[in-house]
Amino acid sequence: MQRLFVWVGLAFALAMAVPAHAQMTGNIERLKADLHGEDIERAGAAASALGSLKEPEARDALMGALQLGATPKLTSALIEAIGLHQSPKTLDLLRHFAGNRNAPIRAAALKALGGIDQGQVNRVLIASMGDSNPMVRATAARLAAERNARVAERTLFKMLRRGDRSAAAPLGTVGGVETAKNLAELIGEIPDAALATAFGEMLKRKSFGPDPLRTEVVKALGRIPGAEATAALVEYVASVPAKEVRQSKKTAEKLLERRSQ
């Protein structure tokens, strides 16, 4: 009798699963129809809906529509939706659109790539840091920092040295000892605000150290005039736990005291 109940339960579960799958398939088919229709607004809404569905069929529908071609607005919507799937299977297609002639589409493709956990993505981001469009360069730099892509450190340093301020915060996020030393040598050569931003981001990292290195960065900030450097020192002092004794914190407090006089 117990075995009978088990079989009945399995049969019921299967009976419920089939309609549910059929319903999902039907939803995707309806969204695909909207995706390829003439109403662009409806097509964009369908793309967003397919992006929220985690089924492979939804991802494949988006990829197919993107491969067929669409208006720039719909192309961006399709790329954004594909990015929600964060699937390695979309990598090659997104990498192709990262080289599109339309800058917003390139930026959208980079954003979608940023969520994919593959080493190849970092190479695309580094290449895009040399893009002719500042928005695309800034997007690539920010995404590299969010991924903690240390391999981008040298390229970010070159960007900042060329005067591209969008590299400052990302460089501070991934930069190590050599970058800190090299940045200190550039004081007076590149904008003070950019240097202060990079140093400030370094000091925010719990992993950045040891404390003698933090002290040297604090001293470098002390050599930079302006509100940005002062703000970076204030933020660093505030970030250190009250009971923790650090020479770098004491140095920062002395520098702030001098600036307030």
Side-chain angles (χ1 to χ4, degrees), residues 37-48:
E38 295 182 0
D39 190 328
I40 298 299
E41 295 299 325
R42 192 163 183 169
S48 298

Side-chain angles (χ1 to χ4, degrees), residues 53-66:
L53 299 175
K54 300 308 176 185
E55 282 69 20
E57 295 91 337
R59 179 202 65 212
D60 292 344
L62 290 166
M63 292 177 66
L66 190 59

Side-chain angles (χ1 to χ4, degrees), residues 1-9:
M1 180 63 71
Q2 185 176 3
R3 183 176 296 177
L4 177 61
F5 283 136
V6 171
W7 280 108
V8 170

Side-chain angles (χ1 to χ4, degrees), residues 62-72 74-76 78-80 82 90-113 124 128 131 136:
L62 290 166
M63 292 177 66
L66 190 59
Q67 289 169 326
L68 285 175
T71 64
L74 181 55
T75 295
S76 294
L78 288 167
I79 290 173
E80 182 179 351
I82 287 173
T90 66
L91 196 151
D92 288 339
L93 182 61
L94 292 173
R95 184 165 52 187
H96 168 74
F97 278 91
N100 190 275
R101 63 181 180 179
N102 182 294
I105 288 177
R106 294 201 298 276
L110 292 178
K111 290 176 185 177
L113 281 166
V124 178
S128 295
D131 196 278
V136 176

